[in-house]
Amino acid sequence: MNYPNIPLYINGEFLDHTNRDVKEVFNPVNHECIGLMACASQADLDYALESSQQAFLSWKKTSPLTRSEILRTFAKLAREKAAEIGRNITLDQGKPLKEAIAEVTVCAEHAEWHAEECRRIYGRVIPPRNPNVQQLVVREPLGVCLAFSPWNFPFNQAIRKISAAIAAGCTIIVKGSGDTPSAVYAIAQLFHEAGLPKGVLNVIWGDSNFISDYMIKSPIIQKISFTGSTPVGKKLASQASLYMKPCTMELGGHAPVIVCDDADIDAAVEHLVGYKFRNAGQVCVSPTRFYVQEGIYKEFSEKVVLRAKQIKVGCGLDPASDMGPLAQARRVHAMQQIVEDAVNKGSKLLLGGNKISDKGNFFEPTVLGDLCNDTQFMNDEPFGPVIGLIPFDTIEHVLEEANRLPFGLASYAFTTSSKNAHQISYGLEAGMVSINHMGLALAETPFGGIKDSGFGSEGGIETFDGYLRTKFITQLN
Ligand code: NAD
C-alpha cells in the first residue's frame, strides 16, 4: 500500500522504530495494518526538551523575515506534495481524497498567513508622565511550547499550532495523534526540507498519558496547546495550572443551527447537509443540533433527508465517495449508542442509523427527528454523521435551548431577516456565529470556543496572543 513507517523527529533527525516501542497504524476502511510508528522513550522526550530549549535561544532572535521565508517555503512544498500527503491521510484517517488534499492546500494558506502576520508583531509606546521617561510595551515569544494535535484534521490542527509558534519565535514539540500520524510526519518532512533549523520543531509519538504527565511538568515547557475532547482538555489544563503554564484549548462543540421560518430553505439544506457529512461529521464545528422553526419544520426535514440520501459512502480513495469510514471503530459504537438511545426515548429515525457491513468503520448518514433534551444526542457531542432535528417556536426560546449546553464553539443560523440575524448573533453563547453560510476556519479569521469548548484563538490576528508574553519596559534617561 506504500504507506510510510512513522519516525520521531528530534533535533533535525528522523529516528525510526529500531530499539523503540512500536504502534501499528490501521486503515479504517478494512482494519489492515498499514505501517509502524515509533514511540518515544523517556530519553527521547528528554532529547526533545533539550533540543527545543537549545533551539529557542537562537530562534527567538531570528528576523521575522527569516521565519516568514521558511513558512512560505513550507507552503510552497505543501502545495506541491498535497496529492501524496493527502493520499496518506486518506489511508490512515479515512476521509475522501479530495477532502484530504484540500486540507493540505488550505494549510498552505495558514502557513502563509502566519508568514505575513509575524512581520506585524508590534509593541507600543505609552506617553510618560515624566518627559525623561520612556515607556515601552514589547511582546516576546513564550519559549518552548508543547502541542497535542488530534486525528480528525491531522494536518490542519497541527499546522495551526506549529505556524503560530514558530512565526512568533517560539520552538514547539508536537505530539500528533497515533491513529493518523502520516500528516504530522509530512509536516516535519516539509519543514526539514524548507530549512527550519534543528530543534525548532520536534515531533514525538507514544502513549498520550505518559507524554502529557512527563512533559507538562517539565520546567522547559512554557505553554500547552491542545485540540481534542473536553474531558482530556480539562485534565491537561488542570495539570498545566499546577505549574502556572498558559494553555490554548480547542475542545469539543455541539453546534446549534437555527433555521427560521423566513430562511431560504433550499440554500440552507444545501449548505448544511454538504457541510455536515464532511469528514463523516468528525468535526468540532460540525452543525449538529438543527433547530427548525415550526412553520417550515416538515418541509425542511423532508428536504434534509432527500439531500442526505445522495451522500455516497465508500472508500476515501474512490473518487465517487462523498463520505469515508469513521476514523476508529470506537466512533461506530458511539454512533450506534446515540441512535439507539434516541429511538428508545421516542425520536424518529428519518434516515440511516446503521453500521454498513462488518468490514471497516462505515456508518450511514443519519437523520433523527423530534429529539428531546433527555437523549444522549442532545447532551453529548455526537462527533459523527448524525443530524438531529428539533422544532422551535420563538427566537427567545430557541436561544435558551441553543445555549443550554456547556459547549460554545461554532453556531449557525439561516434567516432572511436582519432583525433575527442580529438577535441570534448576539444571543448565542459561542465563539463563532455563521449566518446564511458556513464561513468558519479561514486563516485570517479567529477560530476558538468559550465555556467547555475551551479558550484562546487560532488564526486571525489573535493567533499570536497564545504564543507571546507582554513585557513593560520603563527607562529614566
Ligand atoms: P478522547 O477523549 O479519547 O481523545 C481525544 C484526543 O485527545 C485524541 O486526539 C487523543 O489522542 C488525545 N488525548 C487523549 N488523552 C490524552 C492525554 N493524556 N494527553 C494528550 N492528549 C490526549 O476521544 P476520541 O475518541 O479520540 O475522540 C472523540 C472525542 O474527541 C469527540 O467526542 C470530540 O469531542 C473530541 N475531539 C475533538 C476534536 C476537535 O477538533 N476539537 C478533535 C478530535 C476529537
Side-chain angles (χ1 to χ4, degrees):
M1 184 61 62
N2 212 9
Y3 178 92
N5 283 332
I6 310 290
L8 308 168
Y9 179 62
I10 304 179
N11 205 34
E13 290 175 78
F14 290 96
L15 306 170
D16 73 13
H17 56 268
T18 315
N19 297 326
R20 290 189 168 83
D21 287 347
V22 172
K23 181 183 176 298
E24 291 178 321
V25 183
F26 296 98
N27 185 341
V29 162
N30 51 22
H31 301 146
E32 275 171 19
C33 173
I34 49 177
L36 299 177
M37 188 187 81
C39 296
S41 64
Q42 190 167 313
D44 291 322
L45 300 186
D46 287 334
Y47 186 32
L49 287 165
E50 282 158 29
S51 143
S52 298
Q53 170 90 320
Q54 194 58 35
F56 177 62
L57 300 178
S58 47
W59 186 249
K60 68 179 177 182
K61 294 183 188 153
T62 51
S63 153
L65 296 186
T66 305
R67 296 178 219 153
S68 187
E69 195 181 325
I70 290 172
L71 283 160
R72 283 179 197 285
T73 309
F74 168 90
K76 178 173 165 288
L77 294 171
R79 284 200 181 91
E80 281 169 17
K81 299 185 180 180
E84 181 195 337
I85 298 169
R87 179 188 157 279
N88 287 337
I89 293 175
T90 294
L91 286 177
D92 61 22
Q93 202 274 346
K95 66 181 66 174
L97 185 58
K98 53 184 181 269
E99 285 185 26
I101 293 174
E103 180 176 342
V104 179
T105 52
V106 161
C107 287
E109 286 182 23
H110 285 289
E112 282 163 348
W113 167 258
H114 287 88
E116 291 156 14
E117 213 45 32
C118 74
R119 298 169 64 177
R120 291 186 274 273
I121 296 177
Y122 302 131
R124 70 186 195 277
V125 178
I126 299 178
R129 297 179 181 200
N130 172 344
N132 296 323
V133 166
Q134 190 188 38
Q135 299 185 131
L136 296 180
V137 178
V138 296
R139 301 179 84 202
E140 297 181 325
L142 278 176
V144 181
C145 304
L146 174 67
F148 297 94
S149 58
W151 47 263
N152 58 337
F153 287 95
F155 204 92
N156 181 294
Q157 303 283 1
I159 202 62
R160 282 170 167 262
K161 299 175 193 315
I162 296 167
S163 306
I166 66 181
C170 296
T171 58
I172 184 164
I173 302 172
V174 179
K175 192 250 166 220
S177 163
D179 291 334
T180 60
S182 66
V184 176
Y185 173 37
I187 289 173
Q189 288 176 306
L190 297 180
F191 273 118
H192 190 77
E193 198 177 333
L196 188 71
K198 65 181 183 183
V200 177
L201 166 66
N202 288 315
V203 172
I204 52 176
W205 309 102
D207 179 78
S208 296
N209 286 322
F210 164 64
I211 291 176
S212 55
D213 288 351
Y214 190 74
M215 300 291 268
I216 290 174
K217 67 177 183 231
S218 163
I220 290 175
I221 298 296
Q222 299 298 316
K223 186 236 158 70
I224 289 93
S225 176
F226 172 74
T227 299
S229 65
T230 296
V232 175
K234 285 185 174 176
K235 180 185 149 178
L236 299 185
S238 63
Q239 285 177 318
S241 74
L242 289 177
Y243 304 94
M244 211 54 84
K245 297 185 183 181
C247 299
T248 301
M249 289 284 154
E250 208 273 273
L251 309 177
H254 201 331
V257 184
I258 299 174
V259 188
C260 301
D261 277 343
D262 56 39
D264 178 336
I265 297 178
D266 292 337
V269 168
E270 199 48 42
H271 279 295
L272 286 164
V273 177
Y275 200 74
K276 171 71 223 180
F277 296 109
R278 190 174 64 114
N279 200 7
Q282 303 164 117
V283 183
C284 53
V285 295
S286 184
T288 52
R289 292 176 288 150
F290 286 48
Y291 292 103
V292 185
Q293 208 156 9
E294 287 165 347
I296 56 162
Y297 183 76
K298 187 167 176 293
E299 180 186 353
F300 183 85
S301 307
E302 286 166 2
K303 287 185 167 170
V304 161
V305 169
L306 271 180
R307 178 67 183 85
K309 272 185 187 161
Q310 294 168 6
I311 302 290
K312 191 170 178 313
V313 182
C315 171
L317 292 179
D318 178 349
S321 300
D322 300 311
M323 186 176 114
L326 303 188
Q328 306 97 358
R330 64 179 182 272
R331 299 304 319 146
V332 178
H333 297 307
M335 292 310 103
Q336 287 171 316
Q337 258 183 13
I338 282 173
V339 172
E340 197 183 313
D341 170 80
V343 172
N344 286 342
K345 289 178 180 155
S347 308
K348 291 187 185 129
L349 182 58
L350 302 177
L351 183 71
N354 298 302
K355 185 179 176 189
I356 306 173
S357 95
D358 284 336
K359 203 172 155 218
N361 305 332
F362 294 99
F363 198 81
E364 293 173 327
T366 297
V367 183
L368 291 165
D370 299 346
L371 281 151
C372 296
N373 280 349
D374 64 348
T375 55
Q376 194 187 338
F377 179 93
M378 290 298 284
N379 294 286
D380 302 335
E381 181 184 24
F383 220 63
V386 186
I387 288 175
L389 297 162
I390 312 103
F392 76 88
D393 49 13
T394 64
I395 301 289
E396 287 72 20
H397 284 155
V398 78
L399 285 173
E400 260 173 49
E401 285 302 312
N403 294 336
R404 182 180 64 87
L405 295 184
F407 300 108
L409 189 60
S411 58
Y412 305 91
F414 286 81
T415 176
T416 50
S417 148
S418 63
K419 180 170 175 279
N420 283 348
H422 184 80
Q423 193 179 354
I424 290 168
S425 306
Y426 286 88
L428 281 169
E429 293 170 5
M432 298 170 280
V433 183
S434 184
I435 311 267
N436 290 333
H437 75 147
M438 320 308 287
L440 308 180
L442 307 173
E444 63 273 26
T445 60
F447 185 97
I450 59 170
K451 301 181 12 182
D452 272 6
S453 295
F455 41 78
S457 287
E458 296 183 328
I461 56 169
E462 291 80 1
T463 195
F464 291 121
D465 292 347
Y467 294 89
L468 298 169
R469 57 168 66 106
T470 298
K471 183 185 272 179
F472 172 59
I473 302 171
T474 178
Q475 182 182 329
L476 177 64
N477 292 305

